[in-house]
Amino acid sequence: MGKYTEAVDNSEFKIDTPMVDIPEGKIGKSLSRNMAKLDRAYASDLIKKSITIGGKDAEIVYILGLVEVNYISRYIVDPLLAAKGKVGTIEDIKGHLLLPEAKICETFSDINIEICKGKAIILVDGMNQALSCSVDNFKVRSIEEPPNSAVLYGPRAGFTEDIKSNINQIRKILSTPHLVRKSMKIGRITHTDVAIMYLDNVASPEVVRKIEKALLEIDIDGVIDSHYLTQYLSSRKYSVFKQVGITEKPDIAAAKMLEGRVAIIVDGSPIVLTLPFMLIEDLQSSNDYYSNRQRAVFLRVLRMLSIVITVYIPAMYVAVQIYHYKAIPLKFLVTIINATQGLPFTPFAEMVFTLLLFEILYEASLRMPSYLGLAMSIVGALVLGDMAVAAGLVSPPAVMIMALSGITLYTIPHQVTQFSLLRLLFVAVGGTLGFYGIVILTIYIVMYLCDFDSLGTPYLAPISPMYEVDMKDGILKYDISKMTTRPRAIPSINTRRQRNKDNKR
Amino acid sequence: MKEKISPRQASVLIFLAIISMKFLFMPATMTRFSGLDIYLCVAFGLVCDMLTLVIYYYCSKKMPDATLFDILSRVFGKIVTKIVYIALAFIFFIKAVFIIKALHLYILDTLYETLPYVMYTVPIAILIFYALRKNLVTYARCCEIFLIVIALAIIACITIPIQAIDTLNFFPMLKDGFLALPRGYLYCAYGFGDYLVLAVLLGHIDYSRSKGHSIIYISIVAASLIVAYYAIFVGVFGNMGVAQALALSDLSIHAQLPNTLGRLDWLIIFLWSFTLVLECVLYLFYCKRCIVAATTDRIDKYLPIVIITLMITTMVILYRDIDRVLGLVTSTAFVSIAFSIYFGVPALILIALVVGKIRERSHERKVKKPMRA
């Protein structure tokens, strides 16, 4: 039987706050000394509850606001007060708790991390260990459809900022004991929870090992979002091309894991990373799998065509105007000449100006308050575009080409950054060297892309190297029943997905 | 670890080698020696080349892990092998020089009114320097991607001028006798010897997942396309073919179809520019590999790259006139060297295989004898 009192430390806020004395080292056996150390570190934030457990003095400490106080009474205090029998070790105390998750801490560093993560710590006099109890009360966003991955048909659930919720969403889909989760903390200050998830009977152990190694080698003060890790997981650190897959939806993450990929989930981020990554992944949409096969193929081809239009059309327009006007049919040439007459800019400068205008509008629309969105689109698209033409700054064909290129760019939302930069580069080369420059740059880029692998998976697979089997879900999209194997391009220890026609595994 | 490419990728590289030199200047040059029978002449040349394909293919299947260096050095020693590699490097380099010059003339003729020489040389030199640092696997993958572009280019330039064909141009056949065929083949030596590429690829083709028949099939397809192209050239131009140095652009301009459908000739030009740049880079890559093999990796890895880039740039600057390059590659000296390499290398491989087999048998006999005793 124990007694229970509560004390809140209300020490005054000081302007010249000295550097906090962070407790370090092993937890001592003296409760008063341990508490004094924690007091010095957390001062006013720390809430302490004194309790007697099995005749021993104990303290439950936590930070106000981070924990659910009701949970402390219900799942910690009440069971401990009612505890009968021996409470000699911290393990005994743990056994009396009604919490599913409690962790034993040996050092003050562990306590520091746990306390900041919203855990309640139980310190007992005479014990050189503490118990971290999971009673955190972080408000998490409810599961919603992610704005960038909307689907017409199919699951609408998206990841949230809570790692537990994200892990559970994946677990709900991949209900198998083969689903492995490895957890780690990254960030010297943030101690961000990071989980690696994969199917151990599918994913290549070599890939998992490489990812683990890359993550364990990270020594950074903080990881705020999963994008922080992409740099460390990329084989070419300075490349403009994306090398890590991202998804906001558990169904996509699960589907990728079924293909042998590994998912990396970061606490605080609704974006889950997947590896290995192939460029073609971004040409595929989850909609493809939930709609008609022929339609899916058509849309994939359309997306590929969109890339070509996005990157090449502005550059070609500039090149044709400067060097290859003979290539334009006569009637169209006359139209262009009429439209561009009296412009103050060269075709190259005109296109760069229009491109930059578009990029500025895009950037501004992202940052602008949502209530200004409509006004912004009117000002940006109509007034600026129309007035620029009327003022004789840009020609109507240039605006039209820019608009076309701008729209097609967003058919592949995950590749916007890369292709918008490439577009600028191609315009620059098209303007200085014409078609010849475009040809040279294309070969350069293709060669560059052919040269790199993402954890053993060729970046341009299954087109190059050509994997016939993988083409069933490459540019083409076969019926699910025909996809009997996992992608060959992705290292895997189990290549077969389903029985084939002959009922063989 | 050796770089391994799939038989499919090897086929694509061979396909590129076969079509590389034959589409631009060769029809006109060949017309000079073989008249209106150039399509028969090119067919004759392709069949002769295929004889060497048989040897390379057999060798590559028989010893999938043995490179040309391994095969030759075992029998002829390292010095002879290195000489062979230097000869191969020379041939590949000359082919690259020819293509780079042809490309210059081609784009000047079709794409630009004027293009300063620096603006042509510097971008391609940068690309060459970058590309030469890559490995065989990267090239194979790259060519796999561009195969679609190249196939489109060939199909376009065969189908578009089809309406302009005059069938009377094909007759009389073999007007200058059968000898006109080997004559054209001999003087257009620079455009043949395509399977030398396989000599460089020996030991680098992975047959574990495929039997590699695609190499044979693609050679036949490429040969058929070339013969068809030459037939169309004769059909469209007839005796005027001698004057059509830039066969590709001339064909597309003369064709009726582009004028009715729009400027399809520009599509051909654009697609062919890709093909030519890629082929030039490929030949220089083979050249680099041969130099590296000849020096048995003893030199710094960047040295051959720098040397080749500088040499090709110098050649482009020095040989501004394509006729000088054409004169060089159709000279008796070059023809003799070229043919001795085209057929000498496979002959050496054949000898090495036979000698190797004999040695193996005698070794087996020696091993067996004491067992019997």
Side-chain angles (χ1 to χ4, degrees):
Chain A
M1 304 298 133
K3 52 185 178 177
Y4 161 47
T5 52
E6 187 171 301
V8 178
D9 193 344
N10 285 325
S11 40
E12 278 179 12
F13 175 71
K14 292 170 188 170
I15 292 173
D16 296 321
T17 314
M19 231 170 122
V20 179
D21 182 13
I22 307 277
E24 279 176 354
K26 290 215 161 194
I27 301 166
K29 283 197 171 179
S30 162
L31 179 64
S32 55
R33 272 188 212 157
N34 291 339
M35 286 308 296
K37 281 185 177 182
L38 288 173
D39 269 340
R40 278 201 297 277
Y42 296 97
S44 58
D45 290 337
L46 204 68
I47 308 288
K48 293 172 284 185
K49 284 182 178 182
S50 302
I51 185 171
T52 308
I53 307 167
K56 288 178 179 170
D57 287 339
E59 292 275 0
I60 302 172
V61 291
Y62 56 88
I63 292 174
L64 190 65
L66 295 186
V67 298
E68 177 62 58
V69 181
N70 287 335
Y71 291 172
I72 296 181
S73 331
R74 203 182 306 161
Y75 302 124
I76 302 175
V77 176
D78 291 351
L80 288 177
L81 289 177
K84 287 173 184 171
K86 197 187 158 196
V87 190
T89 63
I90 207 87
E91 283 288 350
D92 297 335
I93 297 171
K94 191 180 170 186
H96 286 296
L97 298 178
L98 296 176
L99 289 164
E101 204 181 326
K103 184 184 156 190
I104 295 170
C105 300
E106 305 271 348
T107 63
F108 276 104
S109 315
D110 293 343
I111 290 180
N112 290 333
I113 295 167
E114 294 295 311
I115 217 164
C116 291
K117 294 277 178 199
K119 306 286 190 309
I121 307 292
I122 304 173
L123 288 148
V124 186
D125 196 28
M127 290 186 193
N128 58 354
Q129 286 175 318
L131 202 59
S132 159
C133 307
S134 187
V135 285
D136 46 298
N137 178 34
F138 292 111
K139 293 283 178 284
V140 288
R141 192 163 54 88
S142 60
I143 295 170
E144 294 162 359
E145 183 173 23
N148 293 327
S149 310
V151 284
L152 287 174
Y153 310 102
R156 296 183 194 281
F159 288 122
T160 65
E161 284 75 13
D162 181 37
I163 190 168
K164 284 182 198 163
S165 156
N166 293 346
I167 290 169
N168 291 337
Q169 285 200 67
I170 294 176
R171 274 205 188 283
K172 200 179 151 200
I173 300 172
L174 301 172
S175 333
T176 163
H178 288 292
L179 180 65
V180 176
R181 184 193 74 170
K182 289 184 177 173
S183 298
M184 59 180 77
K185 285 190 193 300
I186 303 177
R188 271 180 275 121
I189 293 174
T190 58
H191 302 286
T192 311
D193 287 315
V194 175
I196 302 173
M197 290 185 88
Y198 59 94
L199 291 166
D200 69 348
N201 57 343
V202 178
S204 153
E206 183 62 17
V207 170
V208 176
R209 194 189 59 75
K210 280 182 186 169
I211 292 172
E212 263 185 288
K213 188 172 174 275
L215 290 177
L216 288 171
E217 280 172 359
I218 298 172
D219 180 24
I220 187 174
D221 55 353
V223 176
I224 309 298
D225 182 76
S226 55
H227 279 97
Y228 275 52
L229 304 181
T230 53
Q231 283 273 310
Y232 298 96
L233 295 164
S234 303
S235 54
R236 297 202 176 187
K237 309 275 183 225
Y238 304 106
S239 176
V240 70
F241 290 96
K242 183 179 150 191
Q243 292 165 68
V244 179
I246 57 169
T247 177
E248 296 174 284
K249 294 183 72 196
D251 57 315
I252 298 176
K256 289 188 175 189
M257 285 159 79
L258 281 171
E259 289 182 341
R261 292 188 185 86
V262 176
I264 299 158
I265 307 157
V266 177
D267 196 24
S269 173
I271 306 285
V272 167
L273 309 178
T274 56
L275 276 163
F277 176 73
M278 297 184 284
L279 186 66
I280 205 150
E281 279 177 50
D282 284 344
L283 287 178
Q284 299 163 343
S285 150
S286 54
N287 250 335
D288 299 348
Y289 299 89
Y290 310 134
S291 62
N292 181 291
R293 180 172 73 91
Q294 288 81 358
R295 172 88 182 150
V297 174
F298 173 67
L299 288 177
R300 283 183 184 182
V301 173
L302 216 58
R303 283 182 212 124
M304 276 203 108
L305 197 67
S306 296
I307 296 178
V308 177
I309 292 173
T310 301
V311 177
Y312 284 99
I313 291 290
M316 291 249 193
Y317 175 71
V318 173
V320 158
Q321 270 208 73
I322 298 176
Y323 297 103
H324 321 293
Y325 50 86
K326 282 191 283 182
I328 311 171
L330 192 64
K331 280 182 188 170
F332 186 44
L333 184 66
V334 172
T335 314
I336 289 181
I337 290 170
N338 287 337
T340 53
Q341 234 169 15
L343 286 185
F345 299 128
T346 60
F348 172 58
E350 182 196 13
M351 188 51 74
V352 170
F353 173 71
T354 328
L355 269 170
L356 290 178
L357 202 67
F358 179 81
E359 294 291 340
I360 290 165
L361 279 173
Y362 168 71
E363 196 58 26
S365 62
L366 276 182
R367 309 260 174 277
M368 205 160 274
S370 55
Y371 56 85
L372 278 176
L374 185 67
M376 181 66 202
S377 55
I378 294 168
V379 171
L382 297 175
V383 180
L384 260 179
D386 203 35
M387 286 303 118
V389 173
L393 284 172
V394 289
S395 62
V399 174
M400 196 276 282
I401 281 178
M402 192 56 251
L404 178 69
S405 168
I407 292 166
T408 48
L409 180 66
Y410 286 91
T411 53
I412 306 144
H414 292 315
Q415 291 284 345
V416 168
T417 327
Q418 292 88 296
F419 288 124
S420 62
L421 284 174
L422 273 186
R423 181 173 60 182
L424 263 173
L425 190 63
F426 269 96
V427 167
V429 169
T432 44
L433 289 167
F435 276 4
Y436 172 61
I438 294 172
V439 167
I440 296 268
L441 185 61
T442 305
I443 294 179
Y444 177 90
I445 288 169
V446 171
M447 201 163 261
Y448 175 79
L449 292 179
C450 286
D451 197 35
F452 71 86
D453 289 4
S454 165
L455 298 168
T457 301
Y459 195 67
L460 294 180
I463 301 167
S464 169
M466 170 81 83
Y467 291 110
E468 273 172 29
V469 186
D470 296 7
M471 284 304 265
K472 287 180 184 173
D473 191 17
I475 300 170
L476 303 177
K477 160 83 181 52
Y478 279 40
D479 278 334
I480 298 286
S481 60
K482 297 276 188 293
M483 293 183 215
T484 51
T485 55
R486 291 179 218 286
R488 238 185 76 192
I490 301 170
S492 168
I493 52 170
N494 175 3
T495 51
R496 188 148 293 280
R497 293 193 82 160
Q498 56 180 317
R499 286 170 195 270
N500 58 17
K501 267 194 288 187
D502 310 323
N503 215 20
K504 284 177 189 165
R505 272 197 179 274
Chain B
M1 212 176 88
K2 261 182 204 168
E3 305 156 302
K4 288 276 185 186
I5 58 171
S6 67
R8 180 204 292 271
Q9 290 174 325
S11 313
V12 176
L13 291 174
I14 290 162
F15 181 78
L16 263 171
I18 296 171
I19 62 147
S20 63
M21 315 278 290
K22 297 184 184 74
F23 274 74
L24 262 183
F25 282 87
M26 227 172 84
T29 320
M30 205 175 251
T31 310
R32 223 187 298 161
F33 302 104
S34 303
L36 294 175
D37 300 319
I38 55 165
Y39 58 99
L40 296 174
C41 176
V42 84
F44 174 78
L46 287 163
V47 170
C48 291
D49 269 6
M50 275 189 189
L51 296 176
T52 63
L53 167 69
V54 176
I55 297 170
Y56 289 125
Y57 185 65
Y58 172 77
C59 179
S60 138
K61 292 279 280 183
K62 197 84 183 158
M63 293 186 284
D65 291 320
T67 62
L68 182 67
F69 195 92
D70 301 332
I71 297 165
L72 295 186
S73 61
R74 221 177 293 163
V75 176
F76 300 104
K78 283 187 178 173
I79 293 171
V80 175
T81 311
K82 284 178 183 181
I83 292 168
V84 169
Y85 268 112
I86 289 165
L88 283 174
F90 169 75
I91 282 289
F92 289 133
F93 185 75
I94 294 293
K95 283 190 179 226
V97 170
F98 185 79
I99 291 177
I100 208 168
K101 280 310 306 172
L103 172 70
H104 181 225
L105 200 71
Y106 180 63
I107 62 169
L108 262 187
D109 188 63
T110 52
L111 290 174
Y112 297 86
E113 293 201 337
T114 52
L115 179 69
Y117 219 66
V118 180
M119 281 174 76
Y120 171 73
T121 317
V122 173
I124 203 158
I126 294 170
L127 178 70
I128 288 167
F129 183 77
Y130 173 77
L132 288 182
R133 290 160 57 209
K134 304 293 168 199
N135 58 25
L136 180 65
V137 177
T138 306
Y139 276 89
R141 288 180 187 177
C142 189
C143 293
E144 239 179 344
I145 287 196
F146 281 110
L147 182 69
I148 305 155
V149 175
I150 295 160
L152 274 177
I154 295 173
I155 291 165
C157 69
I158 287 176
T159 51
I160 287 174
I162 227 157
Q163 285 190 355
I165 289 177
D166 181 359
T167 44
L168 290 175
N169 287 337
F170 293 109
F171 304 103
M173 280 169 94
L174 289 173
K175 188 178 136 194
D176 301 324
F178 183 77
L179 279 178
L181 307 187
R183 195 165 56 232
Y185 173 52
L186 274 175
Y187 279 97
C188 292
Y190 66 90
F192 290 97
D194 313 313
Y195 298 106
L196 281 183
V197 170
L198 259 178
V200 183
L201 298 183
L202 281 178
H204 296 286
I205 305 171
D206 179 13
Y207 289 104
S208 60
R209 292 192 183 211
S210 160
K211 286 179 179 172
H213 296 322
S214 55
I215 294 173
I216 305 287
Y217 299 147
I218 209 151
S219 301
I220 294 166
V221 169
S224 314
L225 287 172
I226 288 163
V227 174
Y229 174 77
Y230 276 62
I232 286 166
F233 182 82
V234 173
V236 173
F237 294 116
N239 286 320
M240 296 293 288
V242 185
Q244 314 301 328
L246 285 167
L248 265 176
S249 55
D250 295 342
L251 259 182
S252 48
I253 288 165
H254 273 75
Q256 304 279 318
L257 204 59
N259 297 328
T260 51
L261 279 182
R263 301 302 303 272
L264 283 180
D265 52 329
W266 281 85
L267 179 73
I268 300 178
I269 293 162
F270 193 56
L271 295 177
W272 266 100
S273 306
F274 275 105
T275 315
L276 291 172
V277 174
L278 196 65
E279 283 159 1
C280 171
V281 171
L282 262 177
Y283 275 124
L284 289 174
F285 170 70
Y286 298 136
C287 173
K288 186 205 99 176
R289 282 187 82 90
C290 291
I291 292 175
V292 172
T295 52
T296 46
D297 294 317
R298 276 184 197 160
I299 54 171
D300 182 76
K301 66 174 181 176
Y302 284 103
L303 194 62
I305 299 171
V306 174
I307 291 172
I308 290 171
T309 313
L310 285 176
M311 273 173 67
I312 195 89
T313 315
T314 318
M315 290 293 275
V316 172
I317 293 166
L318 286 179
Y319 284 77
R320 287 200 178 197
D321 188 3
I322 186 77
D323 288 334
R324 285 183 68 190
V325 185
L326 261 176
L328 173 80
V329 293
T330 48
S331 65
T332 318
F334 179 82
V335 169
S336 322
I337 295 170
F339 274 108
S340 50
I341 295 170
Y342 294 167
F343 292 98
V345 175
L348 285 175
I349 291 173
L350 202 62
I351 295 165
L353 285 179
V354 174
V355 173
K357 195 83 188 165
I358 293 166
R359 280 184 190 169
E360 213 174 275
R361 277 187 193 161
S362 63
H363 179 72
E364 273 172 21
R365 264 184 231 134
K366 275 180 195 169
V367 173
K368 277 178 188 171
K369 266 180 191 171
M371 279 177 74
R372 276 178 201 158

